[in-house]
Amino acid sequence: MIDVALSVEETQKRADRAVRFRTHLARTRAENELVDALATMYRANERPEDPLEWILKYFERDSIAHVERAEKEALELKRELLRVESEREELAAKLTSMEEKLRTMKVENASLREIANRRVVGVFDDGGTGANEAREESDTERLKQAVATKEKEKKEKKEKKEKKEKKEKKEKKEKEEKKEEKKEEKKEEKKKESPPKPSLRHLSSSDDEE
């Protein structure tokens, strides 16, 4: 609507204001971006049902790319964390195994000391008879069998534990991979729905047409 009551001075002020505003848009590249968005929409094979929503997605493309990069980095860090945790669990299992071996050695050492003490006592009590030696051999054999049985039970228990841990790790890894695959598929679908970034600027061509 034209206001016929405007003075020449007021009209000039409004014109100057419009020029300054256009210069500001050009200097901040806002004008170019708006023209690019409209030109890209015009050249699209299919016209968007909601142009305003399309334009909003168009201007969010850089933010979406930034978010995708951040999610990718987070995924890599998560995989690295899983690898470190796996190594930590392996080291903890090795430490537990070494502690069990140390305890077994202590038990064996204590048993050998007891046998040695019995031999000394037997020499003084029986005068070193053959019956005492037979009893010592029997005690030694029983000790060896007990230690061997204990070692076998520990080994079987350890193998079962390792198999269970490996199975759980494998299942956990498969779940994580499936989860990440679904995320990647969703990202690809979202990326396909986003409008493409224009390759050329159309501001100059638009001015020529005017």
Side-chain angles (χ1 to χ4, degrees), residues 62-74:
D62 294 334
S63 299
I64 293 172
H66 179 73
V67 171
E68 289 177 351
R69 285 195 299 269
E71 289 178 348
K72 186 177 180 181
E73 291 176 0

Side-chain angles (χ1 to χ4, degrees), residues 86-136:
S86 177
E87 291 180 355
R88 182 182 63 80
E89 291 176 357
E90 290 177 0
L91 291 174
K94 289 181 180 179
L95 179 61
T96 302
S97 176
M98 292 178 67
E99 289 176 348
E100 290 179 355
K101 288 181 180 179
L102 180 60
R103 284 194 293 268
T104 302
M105 291 175 65
K106 287 181 178 180
V107 172
E108 292 177 355
N109 189 26
S111 300
L112 291 173
R113 285 182 180 179
E114 184 180 353
I115 292 171
N117 291 333
R118 286 182 183 178
R119 287 181 178 179
V120 173
V121 174
V123 170
F124 286 104
D125 291 344
D126 302 334
T129 60
N132 185 56
E133 291 179 358
R135 185 169 63 252
E136 291 174 358

Side-chain angles (χ1 to χ4, degrees), residues 3-4 20 28 34 62-63 66 70-71 80 84 93-94 107 118 124 136 144 149 157 170 186 190 205 209-210:
D3 190 357
V4 295
R20 287 196 301 270
T28 57
L34 288 170
D62 294 334
S63 299
H66 179 73
E71 289 178 348
E80 182 66 16
V84 173
K94 289 181 180 179
V107 172
R118 286 182 183 178
F124 286 104
E136 291 174 358
K144 289 181 179 179
T149 302
K157 186 177 180 181
K170 185 177 180 181
K186 289 182 179 179
K190 189 174 181 181
S205 60
E209 291 177 1
E210 292 178 358

Side-chain angles (χ1 to χ4, degrees), residues 25 103 196 204:
L25 291 178
R103 284 194 293 268
S204 58

Side-chain angles (χ1 to χ4, degrees), residues 70-81:
E71 289 178 348
K72 186 177 180 181
E73 291 176 0
L75 177 60
E76 293 176 355
L77 291 174
K78 190 174 183 180
R79 289 175 178 172
E80 182 66 16
L81 178 60

Side-chain angles (χ1 to χ4, degrees), residues 172-185:
K172 184 178 179 181
K173 186 177 180 181
E174 289 176 352
K175 288 181 180 178
E176 291 291 337
E177 290 178 351
K178 288 180 180 179
K179 188 176 180 181
E180 296 302 332
E181 286 177 0
K182 289 182 180 179
K183 285 185 179 179
E184 292 296 333
E185 289 176 358

